[in-house]
Amino acid sequence: MELIIGLVCLVLIVVAVLAFGVSIYNGLVRARNAYRNAFAQIDVQLVRRHDLIPNLVETAKGYLKHERETLEAVINARNAAVNAQATAAATPGDPAAMQQLSGAENALSATLGRLFALSEAYPDLKANQNMMQLSEELTSTENRVAFARQAYNDAVMAYNNKREVFPSSVLAGMFSFGPAALFQPDDPQQRQAPQVSF
């Protein structure tokens, strides 16, 4: 009788430990899925941003005929950002991909800043209705990217915290739950949405 009670207690302890382990594992999976979903929201806004830029350049081309170098720099920076975005979307949270994306987006923001600064010298371009609308949409999209980036970074922080605390860290190591990287601009000035005014 004592053997049966001891066996039942042992089985209950094993079942409780397994249930606890499954709960931790499922929590890690939920946290990983949450940051991946949050990155998907960034991805949507970046696609929108990248799609607006060719229209902006086309609108500006007619006015900035002598500024071909700036327009080409914007297009090249946009293409690099699209490639970095595709890489990051394939592996959200990967430190190398997130660093590449951050660098490409910073370069794109810098070239867009040059384009907007240059357009100040062309009153007809500044007053162009299409340019004003595109600039407004771009500003709105920049704000959406900033909000999506914050949600992503919050989800990454929650995931990284979950995978680093004991006893989750044991299961995270066993099942290869690697760290996720934040999406942060390199340049402190890029932490704010660019000011676009026409």
Side-chain angles (χ1 to χ4, degrees), residues 75-180:
I75 291 299
N76 290 338
R78 180 228 180 237
N79 292 341
V82 167
N83 291 336
Q85 173 200 351
T87 301
T91 56
D94 176 63
M98 296 310 293
Q99 185 175 11
Q100 180 186 7
L101 178 61
S102 181
E105 288 298 324
N106 288 337
L108 179 57
S109 292
T111 58
L112 281 174
R114 282 191 306 189
L115 175 65
F116 288 127
L118 185 62
S119 67
E120 290 291 320
Y122 294 86
D124 291 342
L125 176 60
K126 190 175 175 181
N128 181 289
Q129 188 64 35
N130 194 28
M131 189 69 164
M132 290 188 324
Q133 180 182 1
L134 287 168
S135 298
E136 185 177 315
E137 285 184 44
L138 189 60
T139 300
S140 171
T141 301
E142 294 289 347
N143 289 334
R144 290 177 186 170
V145 168
F147 288 127
R149 181 175 45 234
Q150 179 63 45
Y152 168 79
N153 287 342
D154 289 345
V156 164
M157 184 183 69
Y159 166 76
N160 284 336
N161 286 342
K162 188 169 209 58
R163 64 170 290 283
E164 292 173 8
V165 298
F166 183 81
S168 298
S169 60
V170 175
L171 284 177
M174 288 173 49
F175 292 104
S176 301
F177 283 89

